[in-house]
Amino acid sequence: MTLTEFLSDRLRRLILQAVFVMAGTAFLHATGTQAGILLLLLLVWFFALIGTQAVDFLKCRSRLSELESIMDGLDEKYLFAECIPTPQNAYERRLLFLFKRAGRSMIGAVSDAQAANREYRAYVESWVHEIKTPITAAELICRRADKESGQKLSVELTQIKAHVERALFYARAESPEKDFLIRQISLSQLVDNAIDNHRSLLIQSGLRIETENLEQTVYTDEKWTVFILGQLLQNAARYRNEHPLITFSASQLGEQVQLTVSDNGIGIPAHELPRVFERGFTGSNGRSRGGSTGMGLYLCRRLAAHLELLIQISSEVEKGTQVTLTFPSRSNLTKS
């Protein structure tokens, strides 16, 4: 608290006191009190006022500093009301009582919301696992169908699986620390797994894959990283041009490893690039080609943050899109 704040808080009180003092002085002067005595009384009142206000200001500032220090030292700020020291007066006691009531109400609401979120997450995960059974059955039926129909159905089933997978990862992203394991793994294995998971879509799209210098090892979670790479493959297939090509190339950047995923697709307009990682943003390409949910790159950015993986994107219309993943070194990881 500054002195200006303190005085502005008590301005009305000070003005009222000054009015009463001036009125009293005028009354005493009218009844014949000597000017010297009036001046002495005014000086006594003035210095008494200055002294009491100074003491009040120092007490308030000290009290606020103490409370701010307690707040700064708390990891869980909502427990502030439970950690406030003994109130110094009746006003503080009443105020603290109200703070505690509000805090308990908030903690109860947060607990209910967390419980509901856990139930929803459990339901989504259960639904995802249940839906995999009919999807697998449908894939088996596709194999018995004629070649052309089987390929078309297989591509659609691949899209369904991709949507289901996004729903699962979106649910798991709420509490990621329980669902990922950082370990050393080769880039080639991660890329191969992502390609295998989307083989039907890639074949149907005529997407050609090239790899370069993937004999690198990185520290990451295999399942989450394969999911991110899968989203990039799906985007390359959806927004492809004639003779589509996607290239995976890696390079060493000090102790870090960079994986660049490039395609020769239709590209992203420059004014849309800053928003491609926003939840639900589909852009002009998504609206024109359909099938976009605006969740793929959003989840990529969110999962990458938990993996301490830097993800960057650049693009040029009609020339393609380039996504760069920078994997952290083992020594820079804060999670393991």
Side-chain angles (χ1 to χ4, degrees):
M1 171 179 278
T2 65
L3 182 58
T4 302
E5 291 173 332
F6 177 81
L7 292 176
S8 64
D9 214 23
R10 287 159 175 74
L11 185 60
R12 290 184 180 180
R13 187 188 310 172
L14 294 173
I15 291 175
L16 190 60
Q17 287 185 30
V19 169
F20 278 116
V21 168
M22 296 306 294
T25 302
F27 174 77
L28 291 175
H29 180 69
T31 56
T33 306
Q34 295 180 5
I37 295 176
L38 291 177
L39 180 60
L40 180 61
L41 289 174
L42 286 173
L43 287 174
V44 169
W45 168 78
F46 178 75
F47 285 113
L49 178 66
I50 293 297
T52 54
Q53 295 303 313
V55 170
D56 226 10
F57 169 68
L58 293 174
K59 286 177 64 176
C60 287
R61 189 174 65 174
S62 175
R63 183 65 168 171
L64 284 175
S65 295
E66 180 184 15
L67 296 177
E68 287 173 356
S69 176
I70 292 172
M71 173 64 85
D72 293 339
L74 288 173
D75 291 330
E76 309 295 340
K77 306 297 185 186
Y78 59 84
L79 296 175
F80 175 67
E82 305 298 328
C83 302
I84 292 178
T86 305
Q88 295 180 346
N89 51 51
Y91 176 76
E92 279 197 6
R93 282 194 294 273
R94 187 62 182 170
L95 198 60
L96 177 59
F97 173 72
L98 294 175
F99 277 154
K100 287 186 175 181
R101 282 184 59 188
R104 293 190 190 104
S105 176
M106 184 272 294
I107 290 173
V110 170
S111 297
D112 292 342
Q114 288 177 336
N117 186 57
R118 285 194 296 270
E119 290 178 5
Y120 174 74
R121 180 175 180 267
Y123 169 73
V124 170
E125 291 189 9
S126 174
W127 178 85
V128 167
H129 291 301
E130 291 294 332
I131 203 68
K132 285 181 179 179
T133 300
I135 290 176
T136 302
E139 287 177 331
L140 293 174
I141 294 173
C142 285
R143 295 176 185 176
R144 300 171 188 168
D146 62 89
K147 185 175 181 180
E148 184 179 354
S149 298
Q151 286 180 343
K152 291 181 179 179
L153 287 173
S154 179
V155 170
E156 296 303 321
L157 286 172
T158 300
Q159 291 295 327
I160 293 173
K161 288 170 68 176
H163 288 302
V164 169
E165 187 179 39
R166 274 194 291 270
L168 177 61
F169 274 89
Y170 183 80
R172 288 177 173 175
E174 296 299 321
S175 52
E177 67 282 351
K178 300 178 181 178
D179 194 55
F180 75 92
L181 175 65
I182 301 294
R183 67 183 183 90
Q184 187 176 17
I185 187 170
S186 70
L187 270 180
S188 59
Q189 182 178 338
L190 293 171
V191 172
D192 288 345
N193 289 346
I195 293 172
D196 286 340
N197 291 345
H198 299 83
R199 188 169 297 279
S200 297
L201 175 63
L202 299 177
I203 292 174
Q204 182 71 16
S205 303
L207 194 66
R208 189 161 55 90
I209 307 290
E210 291 185 359
T211 61
E212 180 183 346
N213 195 31
L214 297 186
E215 298 79 21
Q216 310 273 355
T217 58
V218 295
Y219 290 90
T220 190
D221 177 89
E222 178 180 1
K223 181 170 56 179
W224 284 30
T225 306
V226 168
F227 172 82
I228 292 173
L229 295 177
Q231 298 307 299
L232 301 182
L233 285 171
Q234 290 178 51
N235 285 347
R238 180 177 294 116
Y239 305 117
R240 65 188 182 275
N241 266 334
E242 194 176 357
H243 309 301
L245 168 69
I246 186 167
T247 304
F248 292 88
S249 60
S251 60
Q252 198 77 30
L253 187 67
E255 294 184 350
Q256 299 176 319
V257 174
Q258 277 191 338
L259 174 65
T260 301
V261 185
S262 306
D263 66 55
N264 62 348
I266 61 177
I268 304 169
H271 67 277
E272 294 182 1
L273 268 179
R275 299 189 59 195
V276 295
F277 291 112
E278 293 180 10
R279 181 171 63 178
F281 180 74
T282 56
S284 55
N285 292 338
R287 289 188 291 273
S288 63
R289 299 221 168 181
S292 174
T293 62
M295 295 298 292
L297 287 179
Y298 164 75
L299 281 174
C300 288
R301 166 66 65 85
R302 189 167 180 180
L303 299 180
H306 292 302
L307 294 172
E308 301 180 46
L309 180 67
L310 178 63
I311 180 169
Q312 298 169 298
I313 187 169
S314 61
S315 185
E316 193 171 345
V317 175
E318 297 303 332
K319 290 190 177 180
T321 301
Q322 184 179 80
V323 179
T324 302
L325 305 175
T326 304
F327 292 85
S329 64
R330 182 70 182 91
S331 58
N332 289 335
L333 276 172
T334 60
K335 305 170 186 175
S336 59

